[in-house]
Amino acid sequence: MTSILPLTEPAIAARAATDSDDTSAHPGAPRRTARGSRARRVRYALTVLVFLLPSAIPLTLFVLTPMVSAAWISLHDWNLLSPMTFVGLDNFAGLITDPDTARVFGNTVYYIVGYLPLVYIGGLALALALNRAMRGRNLLRGIYFLPVVTSWIVVAIVWRWLLAPENGVVNGVLGFFGIDGPGWWTDPSWSMPSIILASAWKDLGFVMVILLAGLQSINTDLYDAAKVDGAGPWRRLISVTLPMLSPSTFFVVVISLINGFQVFDQVYAMTGGGPAGSSQVVVGEIYDLTFRYGSAGEASALSWMLFVVILAATVVQVIGQKRWVHYA
Amino acid sequence: MREVSTRSRAPRILIAGVLVVGGLAMMFPFVWTVVTSLTPGANLGSPIRLWPENPSLGAYEILFTERPFARVVMNSLMLAAITTIVQLFTSATAAYAFSRLPFRGRGIVFAVYLATMMIPLQVLIVPLFAQLRTFGLLNTYLGALLPTFATAFGIFLLRQAINQVPRELDEAATLDGAGHFRIFATIILPNIKPALATLTIFAFMGSWNSFLWPLIVLRDPNLQTLPIALSGLQGQYTTAWDVVMAGSVISVLPMLAIYLFAQKYIIQGVASSGIK
């Protein structure tokens, strides 16, 4: 194992350098010395702009600007049709004291906590299994990707059928083993687990594809070195594959958190938030507020509350990554 | 030798077996969609069958003769193709800056980019609609396209990939006199092919499946995209589930084709060929 360690330590050092914003630490940046002339600095700044503007312009115009507008709307009482009335922070105050807000946030967090480990471990197992040379590998990869491209409308119909309480397939199998299956999506305490199961199943292929791409960028020399050191398959997984896959894992975790907090389609298609609001999530509430109750101000306020929560969760991830994500 | 090979063959067969059984389970909803699309007068209340009763292609015929599905599919294909090409460009350039071009405040700028993913579309859509109306872009392809031109998802995905490319490669190119544009085009892009292929799949899929935004911007039936035409079927033919499912099959096939095409590039260890 010893020959692996010297490889990871410089990697950590290189990473520490990458994440600081101090330009002087980088070979690619112009040095702030007498020789780093003004013209050179201007040229470097122009280079940065050329690389950033193609994305910065559309993101500013079509995402950031509407985000600011939404913040402005959140301070108003507005049904989308009549003129807006300024109400200050009333929408926020109303939402914070409303027990429904805590409930929908609770359901959303419940979803993430159940979904994320399932989909990551499942997707990792799939990626590892389908990364080895085997006959029919491409066909299998395609098959595991099928649910990702199948619409939620179809997936929801099939999963409701699979999880039907009386004559569903899942309860049939459980019954075979003498287990009395629950009411799944018809039972308030099982509606979230039903959605979690269907979502993890559908997104396995998504995680698989990202991790497969990550596996391809692992330097195969590392495996040879580990083999020379007598590392078995399990040891190679723990000491080479997982650390080298950590940038992809980080991506999957951050994206799944951001998307998980905005879970909606599957809830809408599978339970509509029911029974008895037991599976209502934040974006479901936002959707209802906007399009059902015509309360755009409250919907915008709730969105901004959600934004703050997602931002906080992401910041924790970004700070935490320094402990476990290794870049080349 | 022989002992080793038999010992390692057993788990391999077990893994293959699990993969095949799991694969059948993954295929099941799609197979059911196909079967339902071939069953005239299919009823969702009846038990799920794996073979159609009186199989017929009638549902597909309805889609392409009574409904403008050829046009709708072309609209969706065009929008998805443009979105994918533009996103590959905007994502790769931005990712290069976030990985290789340090500047003061870069961390903050990247955080703002990520933040664009954190507000639900359901809420952005109201101000966005008003904005595009002032630009006179409602009912135009451009109006549907513009908000899809850059995504933090793609930038983040490619940044992670570029961070994995050994910096020794850039440094060697710099010594040879290459500037950032040369390094980007000749060192970075060839080394992140798997990530570019992955982004191709997801950018295409994002556009292909997007519902809410095209629904609101493209009111003209001639400009309609596939998901909207599909939901329209459900409204008008409440019981014609075979037609709806035929539409679903049509909506899955191009995505699967893109996936199978892009998958070819998600192969081989590129980084290992670069450094010794």
Side-chain angles (χ1 to χ4, degrees):
Chain A
M1 255 14 300
T2 41
S3 69
I4 303 293
L5 283 170
L7 273 164
T8 47
E9 264 165 39
I12 295 166
R15 243 203 49 64
T18 320
D19 256 34
S20 78
D21 285 321
D22 183 4
T23 50
S24 60
H26 296 268
R31 270 165 223 128
R32 272 174 277 163
T33 57
R35 279 202 303 145
S37 66
R38 200 182 140 75
R40 216 167 124 197
R41 285 226 303 269
V42 169
R43 237 186 66 192
Y44 181 74
L46 281 177
T47 308
V48 172
L49 280 182
V50 168
F51 276 101
L52 272 186
L53 283 182
S55 56
I57 292 172
L59 283 179
T60 307
L61 282 178
F62 303 110
V63 189
L64 290 175
T65 311
M67 273 172 83
V68 173
S69 305
W72 178 240
I73 293 169
S74 75
L75 303 176
H76 292 78
D77 193 9
W78 187 36
N79 66 4
L80 296 174
L81 304 168
S82 61
M84 301 201 284
T85 339
F86 187 82
V87 294
L89 294 173
D90 280 7
N91 287 327
F92 290 91
L95 285 167
I96 285 168
T97 51
D98 187 345
D100 276 355
T101 309
R103 190 170 50 84
V104 296
F105 270 99
N107 284 341
T108 307
V109 170
Y110 182 1
Y111 169 80
I112 293 170
V113 170
Y115 164 85
L116 194 54
L118 266 183
V119 82
Y120 180 74
I121 293 169
L124 177 65
L126 259 184
L128 290 172
L130 291 174
N131 194 39
R132 21 193 330 147
M134 63 184 280
R135 203 170 303 161
R137 180 176 74 170
N138 283 350
L139 179 68
L140 277 171
R141 283 185 188 175
I143 288 171
Y144 280 94
F145 195 70
L146 255 179
V148 181
V149 297
T150 308
S151 94
W152 258 114
I153 298 170
V154 171
V155 173
I157 292 168
V158 172
W159 270 87
R160 282 168 64 104
W161 175 76
L162 287 173
L163 293 176
E166 294 303 324
N167 42 22
V169 176
V170 172
N171 277 359
V173 172
L174 289 175
F176 182 78
F177 291 105
I179 302 167
D180 200 8
W184 297 108
W185 46 273
T186 62
D187 179 340
S189 50
W190 283 91
S191 53
M192 270 334 274
S194 307
I195 293 168
I196 289 169
L197 268 182
S199 306
W201 174 88
K202 187 175 190 291
D203 293 348
L204 273 182
F206 167 84
V207 176
M208 172 193 80
V209 167
I210 293 193
L211 294 184
L212 272 174
L215 284 172
Q216 300 314 316
S217 56
I218 299 178
N219 188 338
T220 46
D221 296 349
L222 293 175
Y223 290 106
D224 298 338
K227 269 186 200 162
V228 169
D229 288 346
W234 184 248
R235 188 76 209 165
R236 290 200 294 272
L237 173 70
I238 301 292
S239 303
V240 181
T241 309
L242 290 184
M244 289 295 128
L245 203 56
S246 58
S248 305
T249 301
F250 177 63
F251 177 82
V252 168
V253 171
V254 170
I255 289 291
S256 302
L257 269 178
I258 291 176
N259 290 340
F261 272 111
Q262 300 179 63
V263 57
F264 173 65
D265 290 356
Q266 50 268 63
V267 177
Y268 189 76
M270 274 187 78
T271 65
S278 60
S279 60
Q280 179 70 309
V281 288
V282 181
V283 174
E285 192 77 3
I286 289 169
Y287 182 87
D288 284 352
L289 282 172
T290 314
F291 297 110
R292 197 176 285 175
Y293 307 119
S295 178
E298 262 189 296
S300 299
L302 188 54
S303 302
W304 269 89
M305 287 169 64
L306 179 64
F307 172 82
V308 171
V309 171
I310 300 177
L311 188 67
T314 308
V315 166
V316 169
Q317 286 302 312
V318 171
I319 292 171
Q321 71 159 332
K322 292 182 177 152
R323 290 163 182 271
W324 62 276
V325 182
H326 303 269
Y327 293 109
Chain B
M1 275 310 279
R2 207 204 281 150
E3 202 188 23
V4 172
S5 70
T6 42
R7 198 154 25 117
S8 63
R9 189 174 289 170
R12 207 168 287 177
I13 289 172
L14 186 72
I15 290 174
V18 170
L19 281 174
V20 168
V21 172
L24 290 175
M26 301 307 269
M27 275 172 70
F28 175 69
F30 181 69
V31 170
W32 173 73
T33 311
V34 175
V35 168
T36 312
S37 76
L38 298 172
T39 311
N43 178 359
L44 293 191
S46 56
I48 287 185
R49 311 169 55 101
L50 285 180
W51 195 252
E53 242 174 312
N54 316 314
S56 133
L57 286 171
Y60 293 87
E61 210 182 310
I62 289 174
L63 284 182
F64 286 98
T65 54
E66 293 175 27
R67 322 238 78 213
F69 252 62
R71 166 100 205 198
V72 163
V73 169
M74 284 315 292
N75 285 343
S76 274
L77 275 177
M78 186 198 64
L79 292 180
I82 295 175
T83 294
T84 306
I85 292 166
V86 175
Q87 256 188 50
L88 281 169
F89 172 72
T90 59
S91 302
T93 47
Y96 183 81
F98 285 123
S99 177
R100 294 297 206 260
L101 300 173
F103 56 88
R104 200 178 291 260
R106 189 172 73 167
I108 303 286
V109 176
F110 187 63
V112 173
Y113 268 59
L114 279 188
T116 61
M117 280 194 284
M118 298 177 192
I119 280 267
L121 182 66
Q122 285 83 354
V123 143
L124 294 184
I125 245 163
V126 172
L128 198 52
F129 179 81
Q131 224 174 298
L132 288 186
R133 191 171 45 197
T134 30
F135 295 154
L137 289 172
L138 294 185
N139 265 325
T140 63
Y141 289 130
L142 193 60
L145 283 168
L146 282 173
T148 70
F149 276 175
T151 62
F153 174 90
I155 294 162
F156 186 22
L157 180 75
L158 297 189
R159 185 197 83 137
Q160 294 304 88
I162 297 177
N163 275 348
Q164 293 262 69
V165 178
R167 275 158 209 275
E168 291 86 350
L169 299 182
D170 305 30
E171 280 152 24
T174 311
L175 289 180
D176 290 343
H180 283 294
F181 296 102
R182 268 257 305 279
I183 293 174
F184 174 68
T186 63
I187 308 282
I188 298 297
L189 289 185
N191 272 299
I192 58 164
K193 271 187 202 153
L196 291 171
T198 309
L199 180 57
T200 303
I201 296 168
F202 291 122
F204 195 94
M205 191 170 82
S207 169
W208 187 255
N209 290 342
S210 73
F211 181 76
L212 207 48
W213 181 234
L215 172 73
I216 286 169
V217 181
L218 303 172
R219 308 301 319 199
D220 182 342
N222 278 326
L223 305 180
Q224 249 185 13
T225 60
L226 197 54
I228 292 148
L230 273 182
S231 78
L233 289 179
Q234 259 170 293
Q236 271 172 307
Y237 297 79
T238 28
T239 47
W241 280 99
D242 51 335
V243 180
V244 174
M245 292 303 160
S248 299
V249 172
I250 290 168
S251 77
V252 167
L253 292 182
M255 264 319 305
L256 207 57
I258 290 282
Y259 175 78
L260 292 173
F261 163 77
Q263 182 180 251
K264 282 189 202 148
Y265 297 91
I266 311 182
I267 44 157
Q268 85 197 328
V270 266
S272 66
S273 58
I275 51 175
K276 62 140 217 123

